[in-house]
Amino acid sequence: MSIEKTLSIIKPDATKRNITGKIISCFEEQGLSIVAQKRILLSESKAREFYAVHSEKPFFEDLVKYITSGPVVVQILEGQDAIARNRKIMGATNPEEAEEGTIRKQFALSVEANSVHGSDSQETAKSEIKFFFDNSEIAPID
């Protein structure tokens, strides 16, 4: 096991319902530390850039519209196997398929409004972290 960093986004459906603290607690209670965090409103152009990997998919326009519909909380989580642990804590993309106790099972409204995003690999995590944060914004644990 290794110490990793991963990007986490608390999406507009969750920020609108004022449940960011509950979601953050889920990460912290499972041993992940927050080493950077900020609340932002993504512009359409930034959202398109961030989700460019999905640009040819039929849900792309809806995704951009949704992620820009309200503030998001972007954060860097750090801990042992943070990428896999974060994905387990979040649960399946479809909340109906998510395991009991996961964030998406507890808080998601739908497949689209599923409350959270997390990096899916070390390569993606590095890229996504760099997209949202400068090194000077990251506060190491120790």
Side-chain angles (χ1 to χ4, degrees), residues 87-105:
R87 295 192 67 75
K88 183 170 177 57
I89 294 165
M90 289 188 308
T93 302
N94 182 341
E96 292 179 15
E97 297 170 3
E99 290 183 32
E100 287 298 327
T102 62
I103 291 171
R104 289 175 173 152
K105 187 67 165 185

Side-chain angles (χ1 to χ4, degrees), residues 57-104:
K57 296 183 180 161
F59 59 81
F60 179 70
E61 292 301 326
D62 288 338
L63 180 58
V64 170
K65 184 177 179 182
Y66 163 68
I67 203 69
T68 59
S69 68
V72 297
V73 174
V74 292
Q75 54 194 3
I76 301 172
L77 305 176
E78 183 176 275
Q80 291 287 334
D81 294 317
I83 296 164
R85 186 179 292 181
N86 180 39
R87 295 192 67 75
K88 183 170 177 57
I89 294 165
M90 289 188 308
T93 302
N94 182 341
E96 292 179 15
E97 297 170 3
E99 290 183 32
E100 287 298 327
T102 62
I103 291 171
R104 289 175 173 152

Side-chain angles (χ1 to χ4, degrees), residues 26-44:
C26 293
F27 298 125
E28 291 179 328
E29 289 168 6
Q30 294 296 315
L32 294 175
S33 299
I34 298 166
V35 296
Q37 183 182 68
K38 56 188 169 184
R39 184 181 183 98
I40 61 173
L41 188 57
L42 277 174
S43 67
E44 183 178 332

Side-chain angles (χ1 to χ4, degrees), residues 5-11 15 19-28 32-41 71-78 116 129 132-140:
K5 288 181 177 70
T6 188
L7 184 82
S8 167
I9 301 175
I10 302 176
K11 295 179 177 180
T15 62
I19 58 172
T20 56
K22 290 178 183 177
I23 292 172
I24 290 166
S25 291
C26 293
F27 298 125
E28 291 179 328
L32 294 175
S33 299
I34 298 166
V35 296
Q37 183 182 68
K38 56 188 169 184
R39 184 181 183 98
I40 61 173
L41 188 57
V72 297
V73 174
V74 292
Q75 54 194 3
I76 301 172
L77 305 176
E78 183 176 275
V116 287
I129 287 168
F132 286 106
F133 293 94
D134 293 326
N135 284 336
S136 65
E137 297 176 291
I138 303 170

